[in-house]
C-alpha cells in the first residue's frame, strides 16, 4: 500500500486551505499514493481564530471539497477538521464547543472520527472548547482495515490495542503536536510504543512548525512541530519529516503486521474487549 503524509502549515480560511492542499494532494496521487493523510486542523489551524465560527458538518465547504478532490484523484483522504459540538458553561462564560474530527473521504466513503482524548495537558485545556467523542472508527482500504486516531490519542495505548482488535493493520493519525523541550523525543517514543502495542503500522501526518526557520524546538501551543512519521509494527521509523513542510510518500507491506503478530501475540482475549 502506498500512503502519503502531507506535512504543511494551514491557516484561518477554509477556502485558502483547500486551495493550498489541492496541489499537494494531486501531486501525492500522481506519485501513486492511494491513501493520503493530512494534519489535524487542516480546515483551520489552531490559534487562527475561533474554531466554532467555521465548524461545519460533513456536508460543509471543507468536507465537500475534500470529497470532490479525493474522488477526482481516485484516492482516500483523511484530514483534520472541526464540526459543531455542544455548549459549555465555564463560570459566566458560555462557549460553543466543536468536535475535533478526522474526516475520512473518497469514493463510496464519507465519515468522521471525533477525537476521544482532549489535550488537557501542559497548561492547555482543549476540553473547554472541544467536545470529545466516544466511538472508535475504522475503514477499509485496498482490502485492509485502517484505524483512525488524532494527536493526543497517542498517549492512550488502550485505544490503539482496541483498533488492532478490530482488525486495524494501519492506524492513521492527523496531528498538530505542541513543540517544546523534550516534545519531539516524547513523540518518537509514543509513536513507536503504540506501533508495538498494536502490532500495526502508525502513520501520523502533522502540522509543520510555524516559523520553523527561527523557532523550531521552542515551546508553543498545539500549532504543530512537524515530524510526521511512519512506524512499522516492530517500532522502527521507516520515514520521518523534520520541522518544515514536507510530503512523505511511503510504501508499506501489510504482511509485516501478520508476521509481527504471530511472533509477538499481544492481542490477547482480554485486550480484545472493544473500547466505547
Amino acid at each position: 500500500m502506498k500512503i502519503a503524509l502531507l506535512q504543511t502549515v494551514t491557516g484561518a480560511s477554509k477556502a485558502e486551505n483547500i486551495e493550498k492542499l489541492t496541489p499537494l494532494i494531486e501531486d501525492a496521487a500522481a506519485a501513486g499514493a492511494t491513501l493520503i493523510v493530512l494534519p489535524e486542523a487542516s480546515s483551520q489551524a489552531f490559534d487562527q481564530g475561533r474554531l466554532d465560527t467555521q465548524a461545519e458538518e460533513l456536508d460543509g465547504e471543507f468536507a465537500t471539497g475534500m470529497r470532490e478532490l479525493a474522488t477526482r484523484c481516485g484516492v482516500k483522504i483523511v484530514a483534520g477538521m472541526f464540526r459543531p459540538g455542544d455548549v459549555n458553561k465555564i463560570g459566566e462564560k458560555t462557549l460553543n464547543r466543536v468536535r475535533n474530527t478526522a474526516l475520512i473521504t473518497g469514493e463510496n466513503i464519507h465519515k468522521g472520527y471525533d477525537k476521544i482524548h482532549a489535550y488537557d495537558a501542559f497548561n492547555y485545556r482543549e476540553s473547554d472548547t472541544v467536545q470529545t467523542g466516544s466511538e472508535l472508527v475504522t475503514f477499509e482500504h485496498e482490502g485492509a482495515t485502517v484505524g483512525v486516531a488524532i494527536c493526543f490519542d497517542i498517549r492512550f495505548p488502550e485505544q490503539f490495542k482496541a483498533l488492532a482488535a478490530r482488525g486495524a493493520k494501519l492506524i492513521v493519525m492527523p496531528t498538530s503536536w505542541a513543540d517544546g523541550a523534550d516534545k519531539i523525543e516524547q513523540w518518537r517514543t509514543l509513536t513507536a510504543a503504540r506501533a508495538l502495542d498494536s502490532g500495526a503500522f502508525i502513520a501520523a501526518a502533522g502540522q509543520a512548525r510555524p516559523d520553523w526557520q527561527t523557532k523550531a524546538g521552542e515551546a508553543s501551543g498545539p500549532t504543530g512541530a512537524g515530524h510526521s512519521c511512519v512506524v512499522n509494527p516492530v517500532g522502527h521509523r521507516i520515514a520521518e519529516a523534520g520541522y518544515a513542510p514536507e510530503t512523505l510518500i511511503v510504501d508499506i507491506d501489510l504482511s509485516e503486521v501478520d508476521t509481527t503478530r504471530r511472533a509477538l501475540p499481544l492481542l490477547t482475549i482480554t485486550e480484545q474487549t472493544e473500547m466505547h
Side-chain angles (χ1 to χ4, degrees):
M1 182 187 295
K2 184 171 284 191
I3 63 176
L5 309 183
L6 304 188
Q7 179 170 294
T8 188
V9 178
T10 55
S13 165
K14 286 189 288 187
E16 291 177 3
N17 290 332
I18 293 170
E19 184 177 0
K20 181 175 188 176
L21 293 166
T22 294
L24 300 177
I25 292 168
E26 290 173 339
D27 288 349
T34 60
L35 177 59
I36 300 175
V37 188
L38 279 60
E40 181 184 15
S42 285
S43 64
Q44 178 187 351
F46 291 110
D47 287 353
Q48 295 287 325
R50 287 176 51 171
L51 299 176
D52 62 318
T53 60
Q54 291 201 65
E56 62 176 51
E57 293 295 352
L58 298 184
D59 59 356
E61 175 188 5
F62 181 82
T64 299
M66 290 295 105
R67 178 176 59 189
E68 292 172 353
L69 185 56
T71 301
R72 176 165 59 82
C73 292
V75 300
K76 287 190 180 77
I77 293 172
V78 180
M81 59 173 286
F82 299 99
R83 295 197 288 164
D86 61 6
V87 175
N88 185 27
K89 289 192 174 182
I90 303 175
E92 296 182 357
K93 284 186 178 181
T94 299
L95 301 175
N96 296 317
R97 295 204 295 184
V98 298
R99 287 173 285 173
N100 187 337
T101 299
L103 167 71
I104 306 132
T105 192
E107 189 174 5
N108 301 320
I109 187 169
H110 192 70
K111 64 181 183 178
Y113 158 72
D114 294 333
K115 185 178 178 184
I116 291 174
H117 299 98
Y119 179 61
D120 289 355
F122 299 101
N123 299 314
Y124 188 89
R125 280 192 56 82
E126 186 180 35
S127 61
D128 287 349
T129 55
V130 174
Q131 176 188 353
T132 55
S134 60
E135 296 295 326
L136 296 176
V137 171
T138 63
F139 63 96
E140 298 301 309
H141 182 67
E142 297 184 354
T145 300
V146 181
V148 187
I150 297 175
C151 200
F152 195 62
D153 287 334
I154 196 71
R155 293 188 180 272
F156 298 87
E158 64 274 10
Q159 179 171 351
F160 290 76
K161 292 179 181 180
L163 287 168
R166 289 191 175 193
K169 294 186 175 182
L170 166 66
I171 300 172
V172 297
M173 190 167 55
T175 299
S176 188
W177 195 253
D179 202 359
D182 301 321
K183 290 303 298 295
I184 299 305
E185 288 77 7
Q186 291 176 27
W187 170 248
R188 288 173 171 149
T189 298
L190 289 163
T191 49
R194 297 299 83 84
L196 289 164
D197 291 335
S198 61
F201 282 91
I202 303 295
Q207 290 271 353
R209 164 76 210 216
D211 299 323
W212 67 90
Q213 302 96 327
T214 57
K215 295 186 178 180
E218 294 183 11
S220 72
T223 52
H227 290 81
S228 300
C229 63
V230 179
V231 184
N232 74 5
V234 295
H236 177 65
R237 309 178 77 75
I238 59 177
E240 181 179 33
Y243 284 102
E246 183 177 350
T247 294
L248 299 178
I249 297 177
V250 183
D251 280 302
I252 60 174
D253 181 358
L254 294 179
S255 69
E256 292 181 31
V257 175
D258 298 325
T259 300
T260 299
R261 289 177 178 173
R262 282 195 298 268
L264 189 61
L266 296 178
L267 300 179
T268 64
I269 293 174
T270 301
E271 290 167 342
Q272 290 179 17
T273 302
E274 289 191 353
M275 190 180 95
H276 295 284

